[in-house]
Amino acid sequence: MIALAEDTEAKVSACENAVGQSLTSQQSRPIRPLPEVMAAIESCASLPLEDAVTTPPEAYTSEEYYQWEVTNIFHREWQCVAHVSQIPKPGDFLNLDLLGEPLIVVRGKDESVRVLSRVCPHRGMDIMPPGFGHEGHGVAESRGSEPNCGHTRLFLCPYHAWTFELDGKLKACPEMQQARGFKRDDHGLMPFRTEIWRGFIFVNFDGQAAPLAERLSEMNVDFGDWHSEDMQVIIEREWDCPFNWKVLVENFMESYHHLGAHAKTLQPMMPARDTWNEQERDSYVRCHLPFKEALVAEWEAMEKAGGNPFGFPTIQSLADWKKKESGLFLIYPNFLTFVLPDRVVWYRVQPMGPHRMKLLTTMLVPKSTTEHPEFPEMLTRETKMLIDFHLEDMEMCTAIQRGMRSLGAQQGRLSHLEMSVWLMQRYLAARGRGSWPAQDRPAAPAQR
Ligand code: FES
Ligand SMILES: [Fe+2]
């Protein structure tokens, strides 16, 4: 664990207190029934950007709408659960609970990555239950500082000691010889459909989603330049978030708030006014955040003199224009990354209810960066940076959720710099029609 600077520690603990308080805050605003909420979203989504209004408060607060999202969005779409560098060797695994599903992401003896249910096929025990003082996971040993990462030869259910291979097949089960017709092959851990795209491991719960690689062929050309498949996760930090998942997605994808929330940090580097969105697409959103011209000139000079203007060494294979801006990508519904000329930052968003989500802020760099002699110092500095500016967002998102619950919540107007918020409305509305953006309506044009 990297030691944090004192001021950052103080801000983190203030944030944790605020999170605790927010989780108990009341819903005072009445919530309309689901069909009315869906109709209200559809009506926002049909306005042109110039007339756009904010998303109805119930989209962030209604239990009924959240359940609709789980069934019609999250179970049907691809959810990103890990990066390949987090389970580099056969037997390495990582656990997470996603939408109530206890999952293991594991690299098998055949090097394949699988996402398996942790629910034992015998009596439904979680084979690696978090908490309760269960003394470890049998044959598994923990890996690194993360309690949910480990290495093992096989999985052992702690209840009646059934064991499973890394691919989920039942290996052994004691005292089952009298169970008539029992066949071990029928009783493995349930596998979920998995696809690896650019090093990111995705899972699809209903097994029906179109292959990601097909849906993202256009994004692959652009995002592919960072070669995230060869990168390493170097920082992960978990946040308990007392707000709806869309509050975070919208906050991540619009840079209008640089003017307020990041007035001293990001705004001087990437002024809100210069940010812009590409044309609407069915599967993803792409925004550009150009750096201030004066800074670009300064950084180019610094780089010529052998410095690292962005914190880590610049990725030299990137096209020149990609060294002059930051970029945001959203793969619908909740895969978020921002790219810089030296790194990829990934936010793992795990919705937990209308008012809560878990977030993992994760940073990836090329392997060569981790071998740089000054890497430890760079890592300490950049960890602080990642936490500091995320704290600015935590403060905003926490307060926004309280606003959405209150009688005072109104539907405001959107700036053109909030095009991503409007695109999210168009995504939600399209899913409500059983379609995707730009498939059954003309695509919104690029802002440049
Ligand atoms: S519930 Fe897992 S072995 Fe019985
Ligand atoms: Fe922000």
Side-chain angles (χ1 to χ4, degrees):
M1 188 72 114
I2 294 163
L4 295 178
E6 233 169 77
D7 59 329
T8 299
E9 286 283 14
K11 283 190 252 169
V12 167
S13 84
C15 167
E16 281 162 1
N17 285 339
V19 164
Q21 281 165 22
S22 270
L23 282 169
T24 56
S25 79
Q26 304 283 309
Q27 173 79 37
S28 53
R29 188 190 169 82
I31 295 179
R32 288 175 286 181
L34 181 64
E36 284 178 41
V37 177
M38 307 238 346
I41 292 171
E42 177 67 50
S43 103
C44 294
S46 10
L47 295 170
L49 180 58
E50 296 74 26
D51 298 323
V53 294
T54 57
T55 313
E58 288 97 333
Y60 308 91
T61 57
S62 157
E63 181 66 46
E64 236 190 325
Y65 187 65
Y66 176 76
Q67 288 308 330
W68 180 85
E69 290 176 331
V70 170
T71 312
N72 296 282
I73 294 182
F74 293 119
H75 285 176
R76 295 191 180 173
E77 299 274 40
W78 290 99
Q79 305 279 302
C80 190
V81 288
H83 182 264
V84 287
S85 69
Q86 295 174 297
I87 46 167
K89 296 200 197 87
D92 286 350
F93 68 87
L94 175 159
N95 292 339
L96 80 157
D97 285 24
L98 182 61
L99 301 160
E101 288 298 330
L103 303 175
I104 320 173
V105 186
V106 58
R107 191 177 289 274
K109 289 183 183 135
D110 57 356
E111 298 274 345
S112 301
V113 171
R114 294 179 180 84
V115 179
L116 305 171
S117 169
R118 294 204 311 272
V119 176
C120 182
H122 175 220
R123 291 254 303 283
M125 175 68 190
D126 181 339
I127 64 163
M128 292 192 208
F132 284 92
H134 170 65
E135 42 134 55
H137 299 307
V139 287
E141 58 204 52
S142 72
R143 196 161 44 86
S145 56
E146 297 303 318
N148 60 340
C149 289
H151 178 84
T152 192
R153 286 179 290 112
L154 43 83
F155 298 115
L156 166 70
C157 177
Y159 204 9
H160 310 96
W162 286 22
T163 53
F164 303 89
E165 301 282 6
L166 297 179
D167 60 5
K169 283 202 186 85
L170 179 59
K171 182 180 165 71
C173 48
E175 304 301 337
M176 289 298 291
Q177 62 277 22
Q178 292 183 27
R180 195 190 324 247
F182 179 84
K183 289 199 207 87
R184 268 187 302 172
D185 285 354
D186 298 342
H187 301 274
L189 298 169
M190 185 194 283
F192 288 105
R193 185 158 162 237
T194 307
E195 187 173 327
I196 300 176
W197 182 79
R198 287 278 166 199
F200 290 99
I201 303 162
F202 287 80
V203 65
N204 167 229
F205 285 139
D206 81 352
Q208 305 296 312
L212 251 189
E214 245 168 53
R215 293 194 62 188
L216 299 177
S217 57
E218 210 181 343
M219 176 169 158
N220 194 35
V221 177
D222 182 357
F223 184 71
D225 288 352
W226 275 267
H227 294 285
S228 53
E229 65 279 10
D230 298 326
M231 284 184 158
Q232 308 270 317
V233 167
I234 53 161
I235 306 169
E236 276 181 300
R237 185 160 183 117
E238 198 174 289
W239 305 81
D240 186 9
C241 302
F243 41 82
N244 186 276
W245 66 278
K246 297 186 294 299
V247 170
L248 181 91
V249 169
E250 292 167 359
N251 172 77
F252 190 99
M253 290 304 294
E254 60 87 358
S255 307
Y256 184 35
H257 75 277
H258 287 193
L259 281 163
H262 308 301
K264 293 196 188 128
T265 47
L266 302 182
Q267 174 67 9
M269 257 188 289
M270 297 171 258
R273 186 191 295 150
D274 300 336
T275 65
W276 61 283
N277 277 59
E278 288 188 6
Q279 74 187 73
E280 184 176 30
R281 294 176 172 100
D282 61 358
S283 301
Y284 73 100
V285 179
R286 165 65 150 125
C287 310
H288 296 263
L289 287 62
F291 298 135
K292 237 186 182 152
E293 264 176 43
L295 281 176
V296 171
E298 210 178 285
W299 290 342
E300 279 173 352
M302 195 195 233
E303 183 135 35
K304 278 204 187 99
N308 294 309
F310 303 105
F312 297 117
T314 306
I315 301 169
Q316 292 306 334
S317 59
L318 289 175
D320 248 15
W321 68 268
K322 288 185 168 171
K323 296 178 188 163
K324 294 178 181 169
E325 61 170 60
S326 170
L328 306 174
F329 293 90
L330 157 67
I331 300 173
Y332 293 125
N334 60 346
F335 175 86
L336 296 170
T337 58
F338 75 83
V339 290
L340 283 164
D342 61 345
R343 74 190 76 176
V344 168
V345 176
W346 164 47
Y347 276 25
R348 190 174 85 192
V349 175
Q350 294 171 248
M352 294 173 77
H355 304 285
R356 197 166 188 176
M357 56 165 277
K358 195 188 265 191
L359 175 67
L360 210 70
T361 53
T362 306
M363 202 181 271
L364 299 107
V365 294
K367 190 157 187 301
S368 57
T369 297
T370 64
E371 289 156 358
H372 192 285
E374 283 154 38
F375 178 66
E377 296 84 58
M378 292 173 180
L379 184 61
T380 306
R381 202 175 50 232
E382 296 308 311
T383 302
K384 176 171 162 48
M385 191 281 296
L386 182 75
I387 293 172
D388 280 349
F389 90 79
H390 181 65
L391 280 165
E392 296 174 345
D393 288 313
M394 279 294 283
E395 190 172 357
M396 303 300 138
C397 293
T398 302
I400 285 164
Q401 187 71 20
R402 285 201 307 273
M404 292 299 109
R405 292 166 132 155
S406 86
L407 289 173
Q410 304 182 33
Q411 264 183 282
R413 290 295 303 272
L414 292 175
S415 159
H416 69 283
L417 297 176
E418 296 168 291
M419 180 170 168
S420 297
V421 176
W422 176 74
L423 290 176
M424 265 304 276
Q425 296 171 355
R426 288 162 68 89
Y427 168 76
L428 297 171
R431 294 311 296 129
R433 299 190 299 269
S435 183
W436 275 273
Q439 286 195 358
D440 63 345
R441 300 275 194 279
Q447 293 184 301
R448 262 191 208 176

